[in-house]
Amino acid sequence: MPLELASTALILVSMALVQFMTPGLALFYGGLMRESSVVTMIMQSFVTMGIVTFLWFLFLYSLCFGESIGFFGNPATYAGFRQVGIHSSSKADGIPDLLFAGYQGMFAVITPALMTGCFADRFRFGPYLVFVTFWMVLVYAPFCHWVWGGGWMAEWGVFDFAGGIVVHITAGFSALASLLIVGRRHVPEGMEPKEIDVPHNIPMVATGTAILWFGWFGFNGGSALASGGVAVAAAVNTEIAGSVACFMWMLMDWLKNKKPSLVGKCVGAIAGLATVTPAAGFIQPWGAFVIGVVASPLCYACCEFRKKIRADDALDVWGVHGMGGFIGTILLGILADSEDCSDAKTAPQWCVNPGTVTRSGEQVGKQIAAACLTAAYSFVVTVILLKIITTITPIVPSAEEQAEMDNAMHGEQALSPPKSYAAQNAGKTTDPVGV
């Protein structure tokens, strides 16, 4: 099929938008951290842009979208982007295969970064790189291949428009599993337990949220892989669900804490955006509104439940991303268009994505089964993987290192030296560099 300039332009821009989401996530998570852990958190997000792209080029893209050999794709099919066409469009009609590979790579980059908010302050940098490498091969690649690469889930009739299963459930439930290995954060001497959860920079959180929301239009809208009505529906549905969820979350915070919270509003937006992701290009705008209304109380309840059982998911990755993706995957089977849209040739004009998925009890059952399998597999494999890594090298920093993670891990500070440091070094002079 000849290349389409409009579709190619859309996915080029969408690729850039999704890439921008990882720095946005770094700012969002970094703002929520204590000032002594900001560099560590940002570094864990930024490094995925290096290591995952490195793996994606060598063999990971092939594992996800190569010729199926059962569990995942043949790692040799597109190794080193071999046989990935620049002027051909075999993977998605109208766009170059190389653009498809680049765009899908951005999803792979951000997925492991999502987990870092859960085990904040409890992962050494070296073991983190090892974990990301093997997690991408053992967790991300199989589900990407099964759902998007023509694997058995796709053949069975499971749908995931932009990553509810492949991105959010895998990352969210893997993050939850990591708590069994890394345990709870150490509370530094002189600090109350509640203080470690106080964000150091709320405007930074809001900026990160804005970047993520902006990028999500490429995340969901671009997943149509063509310029047209489906891309428009996905983008508009993204805005509706995110807006409704952030407003609902603010109201719940206001009711519970007697004051509306900017941080809560930002978290609510992310919950709505994550929940609509698997369904964005398959539902009507009213369905996105329903998802926004449903996502807020359910994800909020999951976050509150996590606090009650004292699971130290520092930034509520499981409650927002894991359960958001889980809920959205199931709601897709309920909110998709009716049977009238099952045949693309005879479907009415109001259908969002005719000839794909329609709502039914059977479809809901398939979506539930896929979501449960993804959650269970991700959880179990992550526990096993982390246990193996801990037998080789320690993962969790010492209590002293956790108190000053940025200096301990990277020898850098996000902000100017704190008052305690300045007081200790008052009157001391430092020779100019190179003198």
Side-chain angles (χ1 to χ4, degrees), residues 15-51:
M15 182 176 73
L17 289 172
V18 180
Q19 195 274 350
F20 196 36
M21 291 177 73
T22 301
L25 180 72
L27 291 176
F28 177 71
Y29 279 174
L32 290 169
M33 297 300 297
R34 291 182 294 124
E35 66 179 24
S36 60
S37 302
V38 179
V39 171
T40 302
M41 179 56 65
I42 292 176
M43 186 68 165
Q44 288 179 345
S45 288
F46 267 67
V47 77
T48 63
M49 291 191 286
I51 189 172

Side-chain angles (χ1 to χ4, degrees), residues 343-362:
D343 188 340
K345 295 180 180 179
T346 61
Q349 288 190 347
W350 52 262
C351 295
V352 174
N353 204 334
T356 55
V357 61
T358 56
R359 60 177 178 263
S360 68
E362 180 184 3

